[in-house]
Amino acid sequence: MNNKLKYTATAAMLLLAFSACKKEENNEPVLVKPYTVPTTYNFATANYAQSTSLVQMAVEVDAYLKKANTGSAIVALDQTMLNNMFSNSGNPFTDMALNASGNNITNFTSDAAMIKSYADSVLIFNTGATASAGVGGFVARGSNKIVVGPRGLEYGQAFTKGTMSAMLFKEVVRTLTEVKSLATTDTTKAQAMWDAAFGMLSVPINYDPTKTYASTDTDKPLLWGGYLAERGAAIDAGAVLFNAFLKGRAAIGGYDVNVRNEQIDIILAKWEQLAAAAALNYVTSPTAATAIGNYGTQLHGLSEGFGFVVAFKYRPANSKLSAGDYDKLNMILNTDFYTLLNQPGFTDLVAAQNILKSTYGL
Amino acid sequence: MKPIYLIFSTIAVIALSVLSCNKPDKTDDTDKGNFDKTAMLVQYADNQIIPAYATLQTNISELQAAIDAFASSPNSGTQAALKTAYANAHLQYIRCGLYNFGPAESAILDNFFNFTGGLDYSFTTDGALTGFSVDTATILNNIATSSNNFTSLSRASFYAQGFPALNYLCFEPNAIPNMDAKRAQYLKDIVARMKTLSDKVAADWASYRSTFVGNTQSNSGSPIANIVNQIAYQMDVLKGPCIGWPLGKASNGTVFASKCEAYYAGISLALAKERIASIKSFYSGNGSGKGLSDYLVSLGQAQLNTDILAQMDIVATKLNDIADPLPTALTSQYTAVDATYKEIQKLVTLVKTDLPSVTAVQISYADNDGD
């Protein structure tokens, strides 16, 4: 064997090595331009102020609803205030920039009436009555309480996790799916939509997946961003999502639609898996020996699980979750929680756990 | 050019292509040193857990006999004998309470035997069913109606059976004059259920053992994660329901003496001492050289291990400074109990924060989402 043959063979193999990482050649006439993937989301034209404002409004509504949970006595909430927060009228937010943002969460939320009814129900059952099966009211949780409905659903969690699902996640799926269909050279629109999706994650531009952000940190990841560490550590959600957002954003500018679309698939699959990991945790923790007999803990957990399962309604078309399994999950989480928590062997919750584990490799 | 060269370059390129497509596998950073984790788990199963359940079975049988004697002839003699049998069984259960995973968790043993009330409840009123309460209303109603709600997964059920109910029915001030046929039957039903449950858990360990010793991972639900979680959990129980909450740490200083563990049997302090002794024994593998403590040393955490063991000794010493009975000491020796509480708090930090961190275990019993 001579050197020429050796080099030819090596070159061929190298070509194979790199092409193995790409999808088949596309027929776009536009050539890929050189681009670099940065380590922070400091793209010159990046703008996701609208997404940030939506996240912050949801955080403010969540905080307002949670006032009812303080202490053991009734803390009255104001329905008008809550209505104004949903419609962003009458300067309802403590952050004046949100009041002036021109956005409101209602317009971006799917099934908005349903999600708002969860928030409204916090006020309806904020009565001081002791909750039990069939009776809404208060359930002690530590030195505080939670407000639940007749079937044990903590409406505050149904709102917050439901909003993460029906607004933030749904918007990400909608936006990035549309980006996939954009022309290679339509970079301005693609970048703007990409940024909007990134903003829904609510992490700082220099996000560090290995860092533990203090609750006092002004850069603290919010909502989904917080869940990257809270429930996503085992599936490496923080690093995978952040890196995919960086790479895909850079690829758009480089006309590299293959990489762009690959990153979209990565983001949507990982984000959905993150919702599944969170849901799995919350349909499992209420069955733990340390939670049994403790309705405050159990109902709170199930209510979070309820909100995360809402996300699957808005899952991408190529989701691993079958329609049949989605229906089963949905049916289980819509069962009276007191029934679920008193089943011998927690059969329905174990069934939900198994669907989530097998579907999402958890 | 030798063919072998081509083979090497081919391998190199293939390796490169594989690496460039996949992330490198996560290395298991808990696997430093040559510590034999399987041997550790075998030690726990064969020398600590399985024998502990066998002893518990014996103790429950003896308790059953003592209850039969007391029920048929309620007097101070049979009551005193019953108290010994009760204390033996309850103390042995404290040792077993650390093994609340696998068979015990499936059987929900801890809730049915010795419900702690959960860590998410603190004390606000004397009547609230929290910590080591006894649901006397449900108990008396069950007796009056000759019924029970033992299998219900509710607080009223947990507080009306197991040690809380036995402790009340056998040792409340009027336990002897109050004895009658219905009450006797209820007592027998309680201890029969405890016998069934402890027999089941002991039997289930025979098959669960291979699962337990065969999994050396540290992920959620693994044996090592369970061991770390249980040590932390039992420390939280010692800190809250056993000492801190009765002392008023969650109620602006209002003392709840009657919520001490096994209040009527008068062995609250002995149980607290047994709890820390059991935790230390579990953590150290009973000095076998094959315990979690040895695992920590193999991870290069000798100092943390020393700190944990030393703090466990300090807590034990502080508990020894308290004079029996604990319910009285909560007020008469507030300073001594408070000093104990503070040392317990330090130990909780070590075993709930530092220990999980170095063993790559997540504390799973506490909801850490802050909402």
Side-chain angles (χ1 to χ4, degrees):
Chain A
M1 187 183 256
N2 62 25
N3 277 354
K4 191 178 172 189
L5 181 57
K6 179 188 85 179
Y7 289 131
T8 307
T10 308
M13 284 180 284
L14 275 170
L15 195 64
L16 183 75
F18 287 108
S19 62
C21 298
K22 297 206 168 197
K23 284 185 176 172
E24 65 274 17
E25 294 298 309
N26 66 71
N27 296 322
E28 294 268 2
V30 184
L31 291 175
V32 171
K33 299 189 289 184
Y35 62 91
T36 51
V37 179
T39 55
T40 66
Y41 206 90
N42 63 345
F43 301 96
T45 55
N47 180 354
Y48 44 88
Q50 176 174 277
S51 299
T52 302
S53 70
L54 293 171
V55 169
Q56 289 174 343
M57 286 178 196
V59 167
E60 284 215 22
V61 177
D62 173 67
Y64 183 69
L65 294 174
K66 276 184 185 143
K67 285 184 180 182
N69 295 355
T70 314
S72 53
I74 298 174
V75 181
L77 301 181
D78 178 5
Q79 183 67 56
T80 306
M81 174 71 168
L82 188 62
N83 295 344
N84 289 346
M85 289 178 118
F86 272 82
S87 59
N88 195 8
S89 49
N91 297 325
F93 297 107
T94 55
D95 181 347
M96 293 309 285
L98 296 181
N99 296 326
S101 66
N103 299 322
N104 68 56
I105 56 175
T106 308
N107 287 348
F108 289 86
T109 304
S110 287
D111 301 311
M114 174 69 88
I115 298 292
K116 179 161 188 292
S117 77
Y118 296 146
D120 291 342
S121 297
V122 174
L123 279 65
I124 293 170
F125 292 101
N126 190 21
T127 56
T130 301
S132 60
V135 180
F138 292 176
V139 177
R141 182 164 182 250
S143 51
N144 297 312
K145 61 182 174 299
I146 57 175
V147 180
V148 305
R151 302 202 302 175
L153 179 63
E154 183 190 353
Y155 284 113
Q157 287 301 318
F159 161 75
T160 304
K161 271 62 182 186
T163 297
M164 287 169 66
S165 296
M167 180 171 79
L168 304 179
F169 177 68
K170 184 268 303 178
E171 278 294 294
V172 169
V173 174
R174 185 188 66 77
T175 309
L176 292 184
T177 303
E178 190 179 335
V179 168
K180 256 189 171 180
S181 67
L182 293 179
T184 307
T185 51
D186 199 355
T187 57
T188 304
K189 186 174 183 189
Q191 286 167 342
M193 295 183 79
W194 193 273
D195 292 343
F198 173 72
M200 299 299 182
L201 191 60
S202 193
V203 296
I205 62 164
N206 61 346
Y207 177 62
D208 177 357
T210 63
K211 180 178 165 182
T212 303
Y213 289 85
S215 59
T216 49
D217 194 331
T218 49
D219 266 352
K220 179 184 64 159
L222 300 170
L223 299 182
W224 282 111
Y227 269 83
L228 296 172
E230 189 180 316
R231 300 295 165 212
I235 54 169
D236 215 13
V240 170
L241 285 174
F242 190 59
N243 291 338
F245 268 115
L246 294 175
K247 194 171 177 182
R249 178 60 159 78
I252 293 171
Y255 293 159
D256 195 347
V257 289
N258 284 340
V259 167
R260 178 194 75 185
N261 292 348
E262 278 168 13
Q263 302 315 304
I264 290 172
D265 286 341
I266 290 170
I267 291 167
L268 296 183
K270 184 55 75 174
W271 204 314
E272 187 182 343
Q273 191 194 25
L274 176 62
L280 174 60
N281 178 76
Y282 293 119
V283 295
T284 305
S285 61
T287 68
T290 49
I292 292 171
N294 199 335
Y295 277 142
T297 301
Q298 290 179 303
L299 297 175
H300 176 73
L302 286 182
S303 303
E304 296 203 62
F306 174 91
F308 281 112
V309 165
V310 169
F312 301 132
K313 181 170 182 184
Y314 313 104
R315 66 195 187 280
N318 61 357
S319 165
K320 292 176 180 170
L321 183 66
S322 70
D325 280 344
Y326 167 70
D327 288 343
K328 278 184 210 162
L329 279 178
N330 210 16
M331 197 177 71
I332 291 169
L333 270 300
N334 279 288
T335 306
D336 187 319
F337 286 176
Y338 295 99
T339 304
L340 293 177
L341 293 174
N342 285 289
Q343 281 177 339
F346 301 107
T347 35
D348 278 346
L349 290 174
V350 169
Q353 292 165 18
N354 289 336
I355 290 172
L356 291 165
K357 283 184 198 168
S358 60
T359 304
Y360 294 100
L362 297 168
Chain B
M1 162 99 187
K2 295 184 176 70
I4 188 120
Y5 187 84
L6 183 63
I7 292 168
F8 278 133
S9 65
T10 306
I11 291 169
V13 169
I14 289 172
L16 183 77
S17 75
V18 170
L19 282 174
S20 65
C21 292
N22 293 334
K23 285 192 311 169
D25 285 340
K26 265 193 192 170
T27 50
D28 183 0
D29 58 5
T30 63
D31 261 342
K32 295 171 196 138
N34 293 316
F35 188 77
D36 187 346
K37 287 190 269 191
T38 305
M40 173 174 78
L41 296 173
V42 167
Q43 190 287 132
Y44 276 126
D46 294 351
N47 300 339
Q48 299 198 257
I49 300 172
I50 293 170
Y53 281 126
T55 306
L56 181 65
Q57 286 178 287
T58 307
N59 288 329
I60 297 288
S61 293
E62 289 165 2
L63 178 61
Q64 199 164 24
I67 282 175
D68 286 346
F70 178 63
S72 62
S73 176
N75 60 54
S76 57
T78 52
Q79 191 185 39
L82 174 56
K83 191 171 278 188
T84 305
Y86 175 91
N88 287 342
H90 201 154
L91 287 165
Q92 183 60 24
Y93 179 71
I94 297 295
R95 295 173 197 123
C96 295
L98 279 154
Y99 316 142
N100 193 19
F101 44 81
E105 182 162 30
S106 300
I108 320 180
L109 189 71
D110 201 50
N111 295 53
F112 291 132
F113 260 56
N114 195 37
F115 191 47
T116 62
L119 298 174
D120 230 1
Y121 276 72
S122 52
F123 295 172
T124 45
T125 60
D126 213 19
L129 292 174
T130 50
F132 290 107
S133 289
V134 178
D135 188 351
T136 51
T138 299
I139 290 172
L140 296 176
N141 182 58
N142 285 348
I143 291 170
T145 56
S146 295
S147 64
N148 67 59
N149 55 344
F150 289 161
T151 56
S152 158
L153 297 181
S154 65
R155 297 173 80 80
S157 154
F158 302 145
Y159 283 127
Q161 62 180 304
F163 290 117
L166 289 183
N167 153 68
Y168 169 72
L169 291 172
C170 298
F171 310 114
E172 54 112 348
N174 293 317
I176 294 172
N178 279 341
M179 182 60 70
D180 59 20
K182 282 184 169 181
R183 200 164 165 132
Q185 189 56 50
Y186 192 69
L187 275 173
K188 288 176 186 179
D189 290 344
I190 292 172
V191 76
R193 175 170 166 77
M194 292 172 82
K195 175 113 179 55
T196 307
L197 286 170
S198 54
D199 286 351
K200 175 172 168 44
V201 171
D204 286 352
W205 259 94
S207 54
Y208 178 70
R209 182 192 176 280
S210 60
T211 309
F212 180 78
V213 304
N215 180 358
T216 56
Q217 291 185 305
S218 304
N219 56 344
S220 184
S222 66
I224 290 175
N226 284 335
I227 292 169
V228 171
N229 266 279
Q230 283 304 310
I231 289 171
Y233 179 74
Q234 291 297 336
M235 278 310 306
D236 262 338
V237 171
L238 184 62
K239 178 186 159 204
C242 288
I243 304 283
W245 296 351
L247 188 62
K249 290 294 177 186
S251 51
N252 292 323
T254 304
V255 169
F256 292 100
S258 69
K259 297 207 180 224
C260 286
E261 189 174 16
Y263 169 77
Y264 297 100
I267 57 169
S268 311
L269 191 61
L271 292 170
K273 288 177 183 175
E274 184 54 54
R275 210 174 276 277
I276 187 65
S278 304
I279 290 168
K280 187 181 175 190
S281 167
F282 196 41
Y283 172 71
S284 68
N286 209 13
S288 61
K290 293 175 186 173
L292 196 64
S293 61
D294 305 291
Y295 178 41
L296 244 66
V297 173
S298 80
L299 295 173
Q301 297 291 338
Q303 186 59 50
L304 175 60
N305 178 50
T306 306
D307 292 349
I308 290 173
L309 287 169
Q311 192 60 31
M312 287 176 173
D313 289 341
I314 290 172
V315 169
T317 306
K318 289 286 177 190
L319 281 168
N320 280 330
D321 289 345
I322 302 170
D324 242 346
L326 181 62
T328 313
L330 295 176
T331 36
S332 67
Q333 296 180 76
Y334 178 85
T335 312
V337 183
D338 190 48
T340 308
Y341 176 80
K342 284 177 177 143
E343 297 301 335
I344 290 171
Q345 257 186 325
K346 290 182 197 165
L347 184 50
V348 166
T349 305
L350 287 174
V351 300
K352 204 172 164 180
T353 308
D354 299 13
L355 178 60
S357 157
V358 302
T359 51
V361 164
Q362 198 173 6
I363 292 296
S364 51
Y365 65 83
D367 192 355
N368 58 356
D369 62 7
D371 63 13

